Amino acid sequence: MLKNKYYKIITYGCQMNEHDSEKLAGMLEEMGYLPTEELAESDIIILNTCVIRENAELKVYGKLGELKQYKRENPDLIIGIGGCMMQQDEPVAEIYKKYQHVDLIFGTHNIHHLPALIEKIAAGKGRVVEVWDEEEGLIPDLPSQRKSENEAWVSIIQGCNNFCTYCIVPYVRGRERSRPLNAIVNECQQLAADGVKEITLLGQNVNSYGKDLADETDFPELLSQLNEIDGLLRIRFMTSHPRDFSDKLLFKIKELDKVAKHIHLPVQSGSNKVLKEMNRGYKREYYFERVKKIQQEVPEVSISTDFIVGFPGESEKDFEQTIAMVEELKFDMAYTFIYSPRSGTPAAKRTDQVPEEVKKERLQRLMKLQNQISYQKNQALIGTTQEILVTGPSDNDPEVFAGRTSTNKLCFIERDDNLIGKLVKVKIKTAKSWTLEGNVVNA
Ligand code: SAH
Ligand code: SF4
Ligand code: F3S
């Protein structure tokens, strides 16, 4: 009998990368590989990389160093590296030269070529590098090996046209390309038929969905059609760009029962000067107006955001505008990042970079404030009844089950295998900054 072959994929970065890894896994499984968590037992190891901030890149180099020993122990091991980092010339050249144990380098536009590339290596053709610059055309639909039975990611638009001056994504993921509406609806119908209860629609800017399509299709229309699918209980989406967050979309979110009442609306900064230099395309006042209107129309909504601190030229006064914004808008949650210069982006060339200690100190202040607000907002839920979609055991304890509220708050309940994949009502008994805990209420 033939010996089983095993694969391990290590993923860095955002949900889009996670979802690409599910597709890579789907292809590897079609080739006959089985999943493993053990690097030592793997026949193929793939790193799916991210370049959004410097620390993402450093982690990849660290891991590459570590993988050398596995190649030494098993010379037949295939080591591949793909993802956003490989869409740049410098890292590709450096890895090709300094990390001789890497057999395969591929990019974000040609993940569907993985099987052919692996076969080339297996046929003894030596090391393989294939990265496409292509900005046109969609990556074809590929089967995904999903991690969860009742949740799934669905890509609706690839790439980004926004060119925020700090951001590398448009350079490594190409221009915006929307998937045809019927392809998305068909995929979601199939997922629902397979038992999936919650889908998360993915795109760097989901509100741009359809702009590049010939028909009148837009994101609110897509939501309407997906809301009709039997068996689906919830529809999430990310990320929304504030500039394109229309009233039409707001009223769809309000109207459609399956659409989660959670909006991730990255603002990045509270200072108009910084927003302008970031090329975000909106002002602080506009963002306030959007959030206030959303809160007024959908009172139960939760809003999360992203902030970058220490963008070049950010003064103490600019930063205080960010703090004031957080105090007033009271986000449910915020992801906070220290600005990281990315080579090739306009902001990285600026000579007025903010010193590292200042950036760190600002990050601490912002995080401390947001933690308090998240804590207070969750505390206010104690005693209320919330509906959660139960996904299964929590990561840390199989006896504790986890689920999320429509507003995207993680909530723990006692284990009950019958509840997996169901919407259940939970009375909240304790709350921390990032999690809730409650008891199931019998209907
Ligand atoms: N498309 C999404 C988010 C993409 S990246 C959007 O526009 O909102 C996720 C987050 O990483 C961004 O919202 C931003 O806060 C952060 N980010 C992007 N580039 C960065 C950089 N160079 N340094 C630090 N944070 C960055
Ligand atoms: Fe990057 Fe801006 Fe595009 Fe988001 S919208 S991916 S931050 S360029
Ligand atoms: Fe990173 Fe690429 Fe996502 S750079 S954040 S993995 S789109």
Side-chain angles (χ1 to χ4, degrees), residues 6 58 79 84 105 154 197 218 228 276 323 332 341 364 386 388:
Y6 292 96
L58 295 177
I79 298 179
C84 294
I105 296 178
V154 176
K197 306 294 180 204
D218 61 7
E228 298 299 310
K276 185 154 192 267
I323 291 283
D332 288 82
Q364 289 310 320
Q386 302 287 324
I388 69 166

Side-chain angles (χ1 to χ4, degrees), residues 158-176:
Q158 296 166 10
C160 182
N161 289 356
N162 287 316
F163 290 94
C164 302
T165 55
Y166 50 82
C167 184
I168 197 75
V169 170
Y171 305 90
V172 294
R173 287 272 170 176
R175 293 297 71 70
E176 283 173 359

Side-chain angles (χ1 to χ4, degrees), residues 15 238 264 304-308 333-337 370 408:
Q15 284 87 349
M238 66 189 307
H264 185 59
S304 56
T305 196
D306 293 348
F307 284 107
I308 295 177
M333 178 146 158
Y335 297 93
T336 48
F337 305 107
Q370 182 56 47
N408 204 33

Side-chain angles (χ1 to χ4, degrees), residues 206-207 219-220 223-224 227 235 237 240 245-265 294 297-298 300-302 406:
V206 289
N207 310 359
F219 186 54
L223 287 179
S224 297
N227 199 67
I235 304 165
F237 55 88
S240 299
F245 196 89
S246 64
D247 277 357
K248 186 176 175 192
L249 176 57
L250 168 57
F251 287 106
K252 274 288 168 216
I253 296 170
K254 180 177 177 175
E255 166 200 329
L256 299 174
D257 59 329
K258 293 181 185 171
V259 174
K261 304 304 179 244
H262 166 237
I263 300 165
H264 185 59
L265 200 62
I294 295 168
E297 292 295 334
V298 191
E300 73 274 31
V301 78
S302 74
S406 167

Side-chain angles (χ1 to χ4, degrees), residues 60-124:
V60 170
Y61 284 114
K63 189 52 90 177
L64 276 180
E66 187 193 324
L67 292 184
K68 208 168 176 175
Q69 66 174 63
Y70 296 102
K71 184 80 169 185
R72 218 178 291 128
E73 284 157 19
N74 172 16
D76 292 332
L77 168 67
I78 296 176
I79 298 179
I81 178 165
C84 294
M85 196 172 155
M86 297 302 103
Q87 288 298 137
Q88 298 195 296
D89 296 340
E90 266 171 56
V92 169
E94 169 145 354
I95 289 169
Y96 193 77
K97 200 165 129 218
K98 295 202 188 138
Y99 297 82
Q100 298 280 335
H101 56 295
V102 171
D103 303 283
L104 166 63
I105 296 178
F106 61 105
T108 59
H109 300 295
N110 64 338
I111 57 170
H112 53 295
H113 271 206
L114 183 72
L117 299 174
I118 292 174
E119 268 156 27
K120 254 192 194 173
I121 295 166

